[in-house]
Amino acid sequence: MARLSRENKASRPATARARRPAKAVAERPTRRRRKSSGDTPYHHGDLHEALLKAAEQVLERDGLPGLTLRAVAREAGVSHAAPTHHFGDLTGLLSELAAIGFRQFGAAMAAARASATTPPERGMASAKAYVAYAQAHPGMYGLMFRSERLDYSRPSLHEASEASFAGLARGVGASRQEQISEESLSLDQAAAIARAWSLVHGFTMLLLEGRLSKILNRSPEGTSAEMLLDAMVRSTGGRPPRP
Amino acid sequence: MARLSRENKASRPATARARRPAKAVAERPTRRRRKSSGDTPYHHGDLHEALLKAAEQVLERDGLPGLTLRAVAREAGVSHAAPTHHFGDLTGLLSELAAIGFRQFGAAMAAARASATTPPERGMASAKAYVAYAQAHPGMYGLMFRSERLDYSRPSLHEASEASFAGLARGVGASRQEQISEESLSLDQAAAIARAWSLVHGFTMLLLEGRLSKILNRSPEGTSAEMLLDAMVRSTGGRPPRP
DNA sequence: ATTTAAATCTTTACATCGTAAAGATACGGG
DNA sequence: CCCGTATCTTTACGATGTAAAGATTTAAAT
């Protein structure tokens, strides 16, 4: 528990700094202060980046419900209203963080695609990488796909999620051994992409929420989530509907 | 907008009732007051049920983020702390409401299964009913599958969700033309259930969050979500993996 | 180089939320 | 008829998001 009364003032002696007279300014080490300079100047230097890193840490440590504006500000050792000037509001911060997640996620998927050789292997590797990312970063995945407070009109988030989706579509196209256009899709192509995405996203969500445990418990001894995914994807296959 | 200052006192003139002397008690219509009695007695009669109905209304009107304990109390015309005595805390209320949702959902799925005749039709009808329920009750579906504050150890919720899942499993078994045991599953059976559930759940989540619009927009003119679902499920098929 | 505007960060304030505790009221068993 | 108990209200507290005003540093303009 260890509830902190009021805001966490311990991380930074604000009162001492507040009554500091202006003559102490000269003792700053450099004009453009760097991080880990020992001192805590009024201007942080790159608080934007620091807040995003703090947010990622809070998300991994306390999960999605613990990811609040004030918690992030505490983690960064800064006043609770500071994030406002860099992200506008909570939606802004969460959206920028989700954009980072989509970039990480897209990179992991691309690596998985590159590691496989044959088209069927490629699909399976992608599916496993998809679930593996979500299991390794459940908070981030929840933020990306389950949060109500994301603003996809923000350029960074829009671009990152679009790129991630384009990778998925390209992967499905490759497993069907045909080119996927950016502009238009046939119904078969659209269905293939929707099927692959729905299957792996649904599996991931159910797995993260513990809804698959009933199935896993009734499965043969020692059946893991990955084995279930393997069996599930294999029987679905990446083959085109018309042989 | 229309923000209310402080709590909404307008729904019930608390002050007038508070200083009412005890002699006015006799004018109550009946000993066991019924709803819509015109008067607002101190004891509600069946606040438990009334709160659940109010919660469902708030959920449909304002969505999941608007579903707060205080909003439900306002909707029911009762003090903000009243729900505590019937549901313990927010988790309790949400869990009981989710149980209602699972019962509605299970009934809709059962009806869909009953309306179809052949096994392949049955699978398709179930899938469409699944998505249709979520589209008709997006808030409830979100509560059931996306809420962090549900307590599945509560008997009503546990039982309702278990029953809903059992219906799904039975449906998958029927489409494979084999009996599904309550105790143990073969890996093929487990994979078939996980595949059907993941596919339709993933599709539903992506659809509700607007993530499929990119696919639908690039699809042939006039492609609806239902058509996409149809094409998606048809190519997946309910056939057993070993013909 | 000095003054001034802008950017950055803190403090203060407020409405809302969940929850706990204490007070008021009505019901039901003795 | 009376008193214990269940039901409901009031009051209170800490937490959160957000707005507004003050403090401080940087950057620009003259």
Side-chain angles (χ1 to χ4, degrees), chain B residues 76-88:
Chain B
V78 104
S79 91
H80 70 259
T84 293
H85 301 279
H86 291 274
F87 300 100

Side-chain angles (χ1 to χ4, degrees), chain A residues 139-232:
Chain A
M140 187 65 94
Y141 192 82
L143 173 65
M144 290 156 58
F145 284 102
R146 211 164 60 80
S147 175
E148 289 140 348
R149 297 201 57 167
L150 291 184
D151 179 7
Y152 280 91
S153 72
R154 290 198 163 227
S156 57
L157 178 55
H158 182 76
E159 186 185 346
S161 75
E162 198 83 20
S164 163
F165 170 74
L168 173 76
R170 218 175 9 245
V172 173
S175 89
R176 288 164 57 93
Q177 299 175 358
E178 61 187 21
Q179 196 73 0
I180 293 286
S181 156
E182 286 291 317
E183 297 295 325
S184 67
L185 300 169
S186 72
L187 186 56
D188 270 356
Q189 289 174 328
I193 296 173
R195 173 158 29 95
W197 197 8
S198 296
L199 190 66
V200 73
H201 176 63
F203 183 85
T204 299
M205 294 296 262
L206 292 174
L207 180 64
L208 287 188
E209 303 226 354
R211 294 314 233 302
L212 293 183
S213 54
K214 280 183 279 213
I215 296 181
L216 284 171
N217 288 338
R218 288 167 174 76
S219 295
E221 187 71 20
T223 303
S224 67
E226 191 171 339
M227 292 167 60
L228 184 60
L229 173 67
D230 191 284
M232 192 180 86

Side-chain angles (χ1 to χ4, degrees), chain A residues 114-132:
Chain A
S115 74
T117 55
T118 73
E121 264 184 48
R122 201 176 286 231
M124 182 62 80
S126 297
K128 290 191 175 173
Y130 193 112
V131 178

Side-chain angles (χ1 to χ4, degrees), chain A residues 11-41:
Chain A
S11 60
R12 204 179 174 194
T15 57
R17 192 192 34 66
R19 76 167 77 92
R20 172 183 61 185
K23 57 187 171 183
V25 170
E27 50 177 288
R28 262 191 292 106
T30 61
R31 230 180 92 89
R32 296 196 136 287
R33 63 247 128 322
R34 292 272 164 256
K35 47 188 167 183
S36 76
S37 69
D39 198 7
T40 53

Side-chain angles (χ1 to χ4, degrees), chain A residues 152 185 195 211 218 236, chain B residues 152 185 195 211 218 236:
Chain A
Y152 280 91
L185 300 169
R195 173 158 29 95
R211 294 314 233 302
R218 288 167 174 76
T236 292
Chain B
Y152 281 91
L185 300 168
R195 172 156 30 93
R211 293 317 234 303
R218 288 167 174 75
T236 291

